[in-house]
Structure formats: structure tokens, C-alpha cells
Amino acid sequence: MTNPLLADFATPFDTAPFHLIKNEHFLPAINEAIHLAKDDIARIKSESLPTFENTIEALDRSGKKLGVISTIFFNLNSAETNDEIQKLAREISPLLTDHANDILLDQVLFQRVALIFEEKDTLNLSAEESTLLEKTYKSFIRNGAKLTGEDADKLRQIDQKLAQLSLKFGENVLAETNKYVHFVENEEDLDGLPDGIKEAAAQIAEEKGRSGQWAFTLDYPSYIPAMTYAKNRELRKTLYLAYNTKASKGDELDNQETIKNLLQLRHDRARLLGYASHADFVLEERMAKSPKTVLDFLDNFLQKAKPKAEADVREVADYAQKLEGLETLERWDFGYYSELLKKEKYALDDELLRPFFRLEKVVDGVFQTAEKLFGITFTPNSDISAYHPDVTAYEAKDRDGKHLAVFYADFFPRAGKRNGAWMTSYKGQFSEDGIDSRPHISIVCNFTKPTKSKPSLLTFNEVTTLFHEFGHALHGMLARGTYESLSGTSVFWDFVELPSQIFENWCYEKECLDLFAEHYQTGEKIPAELIEKIKNAANYQQGYLTLRQVSFGLLDMAFHSTDPGQITDLRAFEEEVMKKTDLLPKVPGTMMSTGFSHIFQGGYSSGYYSYKWAEVLEADAFELFLEKGVFDQETALSFEKNVLSAGGSEHPSILYQRFRGRDPKPEALLKRSGLISA
Ligand SMILES: [Zn+2]
């Protein structure tokens, strides 16, 4: 029996043969594909004189089979996994890391790349080729290819230790989260909580052996609703304190030393590679370019948001005072009274909106929006194999009716799927020998499922999520690059959310909502005043929320641009940085760094600012659509050509300027958020 992963797929559009793939095919296929990839590298090294074509371009073209197989494997590990696949992932991941390191630490290969890089000005390269050369060269440098002897060893040791420390950080947070449970015995202590949340709390208690009681944990789906809806102040305080003292209690799960070690090693690593700080190292490959740009950016938002944030907090404090005579608004009160106030101000809730957002209609609306803007059409194609019966495969065609992409949509939760929503690809786009090889794109979500009596009716939040992920998908589907490593969503991190976030804007526009938002029973179109309410509610407490994001961004930057030798007392350091943005009384003993997984476990170090950064780009870019019309063809075509199709072929600042005619400005976002007057 041949391994279907290694054989020619012989499927429509060369799509993954999911119906043939079994778990036991992965490991042998990956091993064989690594072999093939190593042959590619050997071939490159055996060429006599290094040229752009035989080295830089050839590297981009190398290891294609390995790319396809590992992509299928890791996509399934997120969307349709099981114990066996998870076990395989632990085996396969180190194989791939080793393989990548073998390439980036290959001195012969690096010498070839470096030689071409030194001559780059004489080579007459196109912009895309220059970008590929620069990116390839930098990937070697940033991985330490220039280091020799002791320094090279030191870098490997640091990398290993960093991987261990990040893991340990995450394990401590997880252990702290998992070991905590708070039981409630009297039902009246649950006043204010929606029935669904109470049910979930009863179920947790039952699982923990206390039937007839209710239990809360520090998991988001348990903690957040309790803080938002529980009338009982003591309950909120108890949970708040538990949440905000995670991994900081001086026991074996305390993360403070782990953080200090992480910061020191990141700093050492950056210095070894020739950068002033970890932030400088990270930001070199970001649209923002330097720590100074990020700090100025955050400071601008701090100045603009603070007065409005203070007003937001005052409004809630006054409201709580009037409502229940609350003397001091504490941190565990803010979410609760904010929610009550929001209800009073906007009279808007999910259940009011759901009937207008039947999933099938919303998907149709997303497709229509893509057609009106970019001329793309979608047709379901059941000949394309899918990895689960819930998944629908489509063929997308461009405005000339030519094949554009394969598109998989996977909407409902199930046991083998992780939480959240994301876009991914099974095959990237590239062009070789004059043939444009089109991509296979997928979006995966966890939306409200249909029941026996009701179709899938989405919350407004789920609608914007769908538009968001579809925006990423457009970035993938409309890709028109030459090189796979620069194509589609392969762009700098602080640029990748522009296509997704801008696409969310259409959900707030009547012209777009009228395409699909109608009551699933009566067919009534969504009323204009409801759209107005959605818009207003979206701007609720924008001052406070902005300031909060800015505070996390500032803390992240402070950690990664300071010499860690100066951070002796982590708690004091955090307090000092957060002072500028604190609007509620500080609670002694609490801290956030020890649970700040984004920057100490995930990949957001020196990158937290990028949430706000992407919003600036998205609001500024959408402003042009608002001026010219949300379905204006010229603007859509320019956005397609300069952003969506261009991928990472050039620096994002250049691409953005081409679309907008100038650099991005924060004013559109500040206006939309009500932080400056319109
Ligand atoms: Zn996104």
C-alpha cells in the first residue's frame, strides 16, 4: 500500500485526500518528506556559482512536499484531533524544528546566501525578489548563522532554556488555574447570573463531587460571566483575588523568578545577535520597525484615551453609587456595574439580534460582500474531500470566472476541535514556470449549533468573527505572488490583522446588512434603529478599553526594552509601569505579569501593541471606503491589488502607502472610538 500523503493526490485541484489519510500515514510521510527536503538543500549546495535563482529562489521552492504534509497534519491537530494525533505531534514537532535548524545553521548554505546578499545592489532584482533575498538572509542571521564557536553554543543553550522557561510559565499558570475551585452552597448567592451560567456552575460542582451546589473556576467561561453578572460582591471579590494572584504566591508555582530569567535570556540572546534589546530584535521585522515608534504610538493613545477612560470609570462609579449606595468602586465591581449600565443605556442583547443572523444567510452575506467588492463567487463542490462531515468545501472563482482557490468552511464545535476561530491554509499560493498554483484556504469556527427546533442563529459577535476570519481568508485566496514564503498572509505580524479587521466593518453597514440580515421566521429586514444601537454599543467604554490595552502594551514594552539587570523587584516594577494607567484602587498582593501568557508563553513579546496598531490601519483604511462608498469598485480594486494580492512581497509601509496615498494616521480610529471629536 502506498502512503496517500506521498503519492500524487490525484484529486480535484490537487486537494488533500482526506478520505484516504489515516493517522499511521503521518510519521513515515513526514520522515520521507524531510528526506526529500534535504535532497533539495543538497542540490542547492552542489551548484557551482551561487545566484539568486539557484540559491534564494531555489530555497523558497525547496521542501514543498514537507510543507504540504506538515500543514495537513497540524491543521488537523487543531480542527479534528485525537489522542493519537496529539501523541504524534509531540514526536513530529522536534523533527521539524531540527530540520529547520539544520538548514539555518548550515554554514555552506549561509555563505551562498550571504554572498548574494552582499551583491544585492548589482543584481537588478525586482521589489519582490529583493524582499525574498532580504528575508532569507535575515532568517539566517536572526537564527545565529553568523555566530561561531562559543557564541554559537551559547545561543543554542539560550534557545533551549527559553523554550523550557516558556513551557514552565504556562504550566504554572495552568496548574494554578486547574487547582482552584470556589463552591457556592446557597442559590441566592448566584443572583444576577443567567440560567445557562448557573447550569454550567452546577455541572462543575457535580464533576467535583458536590452535587446540588455550584462551582466557579478561573477558566474564562466560568470566571468572566461570574465577574460580569454576579450580584454578590463577596463572590466577585473572592474570584477576583484568586484570578489576580495566580502564580505569584511565593510557592513552587510562582512565576516571578521564571519571568526574570526569561527576560534576562531574551536580552542576552538579542545582544548576542547584535541588537540593543529584545524589543529591537523583534521589531526589526515588524511594520513598526523600532521600540521608539511603538512607545510614541502607545503614548499618543494614552494621552487621548485617559480623560475619556476617567469619565468612563466615573460614570460607572456614579451609577453604582446611585443604584446601591456603593462608596468605593473596586476592581471586582467594575465589570458588574458596567454591564448593568450598558443594558440600561442600549437595551441590546444577543437574544434580540440572533433571529436576524441565521448562519446560512450570514455565510451567503459574506460571499455576496466578497462578490460585490472583488467579484469572487463560491460554489460548493462535493467532489472535494473534507476531513469531517461538518466541513463544506467550495470552489472560488475570480471576476473573470477563472479558478481562484479552494475554500473549506468548518463552523461547529466538536470534541476534536480547539476553542476559538481561525483561518489557515492547506496549500499556499505561488507561481512557477508561468503557472499560477492556487491556494487552499480554510476557516474554522465554534459557532452556535442548530438544534431540533432552531437553525444555527449567531450572536452579533459570531457574525463579526465570521467576517474577521473571512477577511484573513480573502488575503489567502486573492494572493498573487511568485514566492510561497511571501504570499498571502505571510506578512509582518502587525500587518496581518488589517484584512481581517477591516472586513468586520462591513457588518456595521446597513448596505451590507441588508444583503443578509433578516428574521429567520418573518423575513423582516433588520431595523435601522437596531443597527444604530449595535454601533453605539460597540463604542461603549472605548476610553477605558483603550487605556487597558495601552497599559498591557506599555508593560510589555517596558519588560523588553529595559536592561533586565535593573528589574530586581518584579512586583514593584509592574506597579511603577502600571501607575500611569491605573484608574481603580490598586489591590494589595495582586499582579498581572505572572499570568501574562501572551508575552511570556505565547509569541506576543514586544508585540502586544499590534492589536491597537492593526485597529489604526483598519479604521484608517476603511475611512476611504466610507468616503467613496463601502462597495466602491475603485477603492476595492486598489485594496485588492495593493494589500490583499500583494502579501508580503514588499514592506507593509510601502504597500499601505500605495493603497492610501499616505502613511496610516490614528485619527480615524480615535474618532470612531470617540476619543477625539468627529
Ligand atoms: Zn485575526
Side-chain angles (χ1 to χ4, degrees):
M1 269 292 276
T2 48
N3 190 323
L5 286 164
L6 291 166
D8 266 342
F9 287 172
T11 49
F13 312 110
D14 213 18
T15 44
F18 292 112
H19 56 294
L20 300 175
I21 301 173
K22 298 200 163 49
N23 291 344
E24 64 262 30
H25 292 137
F26 282 111
L27 193 58
I30 296 259
N31 274 318
E32 175 60 20
I34 288 179
H35 216 76
L36 294 171
K38 289 205 188 303
D39 288 347
D40 290 344
I41 301 296
R43 211 169 305 123
I44 295 170
K45 283 161 68 179
S46 72
E47 298 271 0
S48 52
L49 217 59
T51 65
F52 178 84
E53 287 74 23
N54 76 19
T55 302
I56 305 300
E57 195 171 86
L59 266 172
D60 178 78
R61 311 271 191 225
S62 73
K64 280 266 190 280
K65 194 74 185 165
L66 180 60
V68 168
I69 299 173
S70 53
T71 298
I72 294 174
F73 177 75
F74 285 104
N75 281 341
L76 289 182
N77 191 32
S78 295
E80 181 61 8
T81 194
N82 52 50
D83 289 348
E84 217 176 311
I85 291 188
Q86 281 171 354
K87 190 170 158 263
L88 276 172
R90 288 191 287 274
E91 241 175 295
I92 289 172
S93 295
L95 294 178
L96 296 175
T97 311
D98 284 350
H99 173 66
N101 272 329
D102 282 349
I103 296 176
L104 291 171
L105 293 172
D106 188 318
Q107 282 303 315
V108 178
L109 194 58
F110 174 60
Q111 291 316 321
R112 294 180 71 93
V113 172
L115 213 69
I116 303 164
F117 186 75
E118 277 153 30
E119 287 171 3
K120 64 179 189 303
D121 296 333
T122 65
L123 297 176
N124 229 335
L125 300 175
S126 71
E128 191 183 19
E129 289 164 344
S130 293
T131 306
L132 184 68
L133 174 56
E134 167 116 11
K135 185 174 174 170
T136 309
Y137 176 72
K138 278 278 158 62
S139 66
F140 279 89
I141 296 290
R142 292 169 66 83
N143 203 48
K146 253 193 178 163
L147 302 180
T148 50
E150 235 173 75
D151 282 348
D153 292 342
K154 207 165 151 194
L155 187 73
R156 289 310 127 207
Q157 281 165 13
I158 291 179
D159 282 342
Q160 273 177 8
K161 277 192 220 152
L162 277 173
Q164 285 163 4
L165 285 170
S166 288
L167 216 58
K168 187 165 170 228
F169 181 94
E171 283 167 4
N172 286 348
V173 173
L174 191 66
E176 283 278 79
T177 305
N178 287 343
K179 79 177 195 187
Y180 183 85
V181 57
H182 177 74
F183 291 100
V184 173
E185 290 176 25
N186 300 317
E187 191 163 5
E188 63 260 36
D189 289 333
L190 303 177
D191 276 0
L193 288 169
D195 288 341
I197 302 300
K198 276 204 221 172
E199 248 171 68
Q203 203 182 326
I204 298 171
E206 200 181 313
E207 282 161 19
K208 308 259 179 196
R210 292 215 206 169
S211 281
Q213 293 189 11
W214 295 267
F216 294 89
T217 68
L218 301 182
D219 284 321
Y220 254 55
S222 179
Y223 176 74
I224 298 291
M227 297 306 290
T228 312
Y229 301 110
K231 196 171 159 53
N232 186 323
R233 198 180 189 196
E234 273 310 305
L235 175 63
R236 295 197 310 263
K237 181 177 176 180
T238 305
L239 292 174
Y240 178 89
L241 289 175
Y243 195 91
N244 290 282
T245 51
K246 256 189 294 180
S248 71
K249 293 187 275 289
D251 54 15
E252 76 283 358
L253 296 177
D254 193 307
N255 265 337
Q256 290 179 77
E257 279 309 304
T258 311
I259 292 174
K260 280 202 232 167
N261 290 334
L262 265 170
L263 292 173
Q264 188 61 54
L265 287 167
R266 282 175 180 172
H267 186 70
D268 293 347
R269 188 181 196 281
R271 298 303 299 256
L272 203 56
L273 292 170
Y275 299 85
S277 70
H278 179 70
D280 287 277
F281 170 75
V282 170
L283 292 165
E284 181 190 51
E285 298 218 314
R286 298 289 153 92
M287 187 177 179
K289 288 184 183 162
S290 73
K292 170 142 190 350
T293 316
V294 174
L295 288 170
D296 289 349
F297 172 81
L298 290 172
D299 190 57
N300 183 28
F301 275 90
L302 171 68
Q303 302 307 330
K304 302 285 190 324
K306 200 165 179 183
K308 179 70 175 35
E310 283 165 347
D312 287 343
V313 171
R314 213 175 311 120
E315 188 185 20
V316 175
D318 290 349
Y319 175 75
Q321 229 266 320
K322 217 175 65 197
L323 194 73
E324 289 171 1
L326 199 80
E327 287 297 332
T328 312
L329 188 76
E330 299 283 357
R331 287 178 189 240
W332 45 83
D333 300 322
F334 187 77
Y336 173 72
Y337 290 103
S338 292
E339 182 64 22
L340 286 181
L341 179 62
K342 186 178 177 187
K343 273 222 176 87
E344 208 175 287
K345 281 177 93 156
Y346 304 104
L348 192 69
D349 70 47
D350 283 346
E351 302 318 309
L352 200 67
L353 296 172
R354 273 187 201 272
F356 294 98
F357 298 124
R358 180 185 172 149
L359 175 67
E360 291 77 7
K361 287 293 286 182
V362 181
V363 171
D364 186 53
V366 169
F367 287 166
Q368 283 191 64
T369 307
E371 184 169 1
K372 280 174 88 86
L373 285 166
F374 309 114
I376 310 174
T377 54
F378 292 84
T379 321
N381 183 335
S382 54
D383 293 337
I384 299 172
S385 164
Y387 54 89
H388 189 277
D390 277 0
V391 181
T392 310
Y394 297 84
E395 187 194 359
K397 291 191 171 144
D398 67 13
R399 54 167 65 79
D400 303 322
K402 281 211 297 230
H403 175 73
L404 181 72
V406 169
F407 176 66
Y408 302 95
D410 178 2
F411 289 129
F412 303 121
R414 54 175 178 266
K417 196 192 273 191
R418 72 172 160 86
N419 290 330
W422 63 96
M423 165 271 186
T424 184
S425 74
Y426 282 89
K427 181 196 160 299
Q429 178 274 336
F430 57 90
S431 170
E432 193 171 358
D433 302 328
I435 296 167
D436 184 6
S437 180
R438 300 307 306 166
H440 306 159
I441 304 297
S442 169
I443 61 174
V444 189
C445 310
N446 280 283
F447 289 154
T448 306
K449 268 182 118 154
T451 62
K452 275 198 192 109
S453 59
K454 260 191 204 161
S456 167
L457 300 174
L458 304 185
T459 63
F460 186 69
N461 193 21
E462 288 174 326
V463 175
T464 56
T465 300
L466 179 57
F467 272 72
H468 180 103
E469 298 311 331
F470 195 79
H472 283 307
L474 286 171
H475 204 183
M477 289 188 282
L478 286 166
R480 301 273 180 202
T482 311
Y483 305 114
E484 191 173 353
S485 60
L486 300 180
S487 171
T489 55
S490 299
V491 299
F492 285 161
W493 191 326
D494 51 3
F495 193 62
V496 76
E497 295 297 330
L498 166 59
S500 52
Q501 296 205 19
I502 194 175
F503 211 58
E504 288 181 35
N505 286 289
W506 273 268
C507 311
Y508 297 85
E509 294 302 317
K510 191 171 184 316
E511 242 184 296
C512 176
L513 285 166
D514 278 347
L515 297 172
F516 66 93
E518 56 178 48
H519 198 282
Y520 78 106
Q521 285 165 321
T522 63
E524 175 210 359
K525 284 221 187 302
I526 190 166
E529 61 270 23
L530 215 48
I531 301 176
E532 215 32 52
K533 261 190 198 172
I534 294 173
K535 276 192 189 179
N536 290 335
N539 276 336
Y540 180 55
Q541 290 186 341
Q542 274 302 320
Y544 177 81
L545 294 170
T546 301
L547 197 69
R548 202 176 134 83
Q549 270 198 331
V550 166
S551 74
F552 296 157
L554 286 172
L555 184 62
D556 171 28
M557 288 305 290
F559 275 136
H560 293 109
S561 49
T562 308
D563 178 351
Q566 291 172 6
I567 306 175
T568 44
D569 184 340
L570 200 75
R571 199 181 284 275
F573 184 83
E574 173 183 317
E575 259 184 65
E576 187 58 33
V577 177
M578 300 293 265
K579 241 191 333 212
K580 273 191 274 188
T581 49
D582 271 347
L583 298 179
L584 291 157
K586 170 85 191 152
V587 185
T590 59
M591 66 190 295
M592 82 146 299
S593 305
T594 49
F596 201 173
S597 301
H598 265 83
I599 65 167
F600 293 123
Q601 183 190 357
Y604 270 83
S605 62
S606 313
Y608 203 91
Y609 77 91
S610 53
Y611 286 108
K612 212 64 249 153
W613 186 273
E615 276 183 76
V616 164
L617 296 180
E618 156 264 297
D620 187 54
F622 191 66
E623 198 180 46
L624 194 61
F625 280 100
L626 287 176
E627 279 167 23
K628 308 265 168 145
V630 292
F631 289 115
D632 179 63
Q633 286 306 292
E634 203 187 321
T635 311
L637 200 63
S638 163
F639 192 68
E640 176 185 340
K641 186 167 148 251
N642 294 311
V643 177
L644 296 173
S645 298
S649 58
E650 289 181 73
H651 197 279
S653 304
I654 298 173
L655 299 178
Y656 191 86
Q657 277 168 2
R658 254 179 228 149
F659 166 67
R660 201 61 174 94
R662 55 161 174 75
D663 286 331
K665 288 192 209 166
E667 276 70 23
L669 178 61
L670 288 165
K671 261 186 257 167
R672 189 176 77 191
S673 312
L675 302 181
I676 56 174
S677 45

